[in-house]
Amino acid sequence: MRKVNDRGDPTWRLSTRLMRAGRAQGRESGAVNPPIQRGSTVLFPDIEALHGPGKSYGLEGFGIHDALTEALADISGATGAVLAPSGLAAVTTALLSFTRAGGEVLVTDSVYAPTRRFCDGLLTRHGVTTRYFDPRIGAGIEAMISPSTQIIFLESPGSLTLEIQDAPAITRIAKARGIATIIDDTWSAGLHFKPFDHGVDVSVQALTKYQAGHADVLLGATLALDPAHVARLKQTVKELGLGCGAAEDAYLTLRGLRTMPLRIERQSASGLAVAEWLSRRPEVARVLHPALASHPDHALFQRDFTGAAGVFSIVLKPVAKARLAAMLDGLALFGLGFSWGGYESLVINCTEQETRKVARWTEPGALLRFSIGLEDPADLIADLDAGFARLAG
Ligand SMILES: *Cc1c(COP(=O)(O)O)cnc(C)c1O
C-alpha cells in the first residue's frame, strides 16, 4: 500500500509543501484536488448537534475554503487565515476588527486608494479618525502616536509609488505601546516578505492578484499569528455577513497557489529586465522598483525581502497628454486596466490617483504603473520601444 502523505512534511521547502497544501480535504474521493462544495444549509444528525462546535452554515465555507486557508497560513507562517470576498473586504475587515468609536488609525500615505476611501468614509462616519504618515517615517512613528491610536496600517511597497517601509522599526514601537499593526502585503503575496517575522500582527492579502493569478477571481484574506487576533477577524467577517467567496473562486485560488512561486519568479525576473531597460531610456525620469540599486529604499528591501514581484512604476519626463495617449493607447501587449498579478501584462497612467496628504507627490511627469505578466520580456520591451517612438511623435 502506498502511504499518502496528505498534510505534507513541515521540513519540506515552500514550493514542495504547496503541492500538498489542502489536499487532506476530500481525500476520500481519490482525486488529486479537493472537491468544490457549494451550499447554504448544513444538515445535522440530531438536535444535540445543531448548536455544536462545528460548521453550522454555508457562510463559514466548506472543505475547499478550509483547504485554501490552510495553504495560505502555511505560506505566511500564520496561525490562521480568514477569507473575505475581495482584497478590499479583507482590508476593511482588518480595520474594523481592531478599531472602536473614539479611536484613531495611523495609515501610510502611500496606501492603496480604496483603503484611503474606506478610512476617510465609513470609518470616519463611525467615529474612528485617520491620520496619514509619511511611508518613510520609520521609528519617527513614535511622535505620531496618541492615547487614542488603535492601529498602525502599513503597506509595503506602497501602492503606485513603491516606498518600502521600515516595518520592524514601526512594529517595535507599536508593540511597546500595545497598538496592533496591520500590513497590506499583497505585493509580496506572503512569499518574499514575512510580515510575522517583522513583528506585524495582521497581514492582508488581495488573493485576486498573484494567488489567483489569472485575472478571473476576486478574493481576499486576513492572516494573523495570535489566535486571539484570528478569532477577532473571524468574528468581524461573521458579524458583517461577508462569507468567504464562492467555492469555485476558492478552488481557483488554491489551484493558483500551486504555481504561484513559479509565476512570481518569472514575473519578477521579467519585471526587473523591463525596469532596467526603462531606466536607460532618455524619456524616463525615474524608475520606482525597490529591487533596483537606484531605489531610495533599496537597503531596506535587501534587508527585509528575499525577492521581488513583477509590479513597479516609472515617472516619465513631462510630455503633452496627446503624446502619452499615443504611446499607451497603441500598446499591443500591455493591457490598460486596473488590478495586477495576472498572466498578462498591464499598464496604467495613475498620475491622477496620487492624492497623498503628507508625503506630497510633486513629480511633474506622468506616473505609470506596470504589472509584468508571463510574456517573453523581449516582446514586452519591443512593445514599449514602439510606444516610445509614438511618444516622440
Ligand atoms: C488590488 C489590491 C487590493 C484589493 O483587492 P481586490 O480583490 O481587488 O479588492 C488591496 N490592496 C492592494 C495593495 C491591492 O493592490
Side-chain angles (χ1 to χ4, degrees), residues 84-91 110-115 153 155-160 184-187 204-209 217-220 311 338-340 369:
S86 71
L88 183 56
V91 167
S110 57
V111 79
Y112 177 62
T115 302
F153 190 100
E155 186 180 325
S156 182
S159 270
L160 311 180
D184 185 331
D185 182 41
T186 298
W187 190 85
V204 176
Q205 297 285 345
L207 307 177
T208 305
K209 309 292 168 59
V217 167
L218 286 160
L219 209 60
V311 175
F338 295 102
S339 201
W340 44 267
R369 203 267 312 274

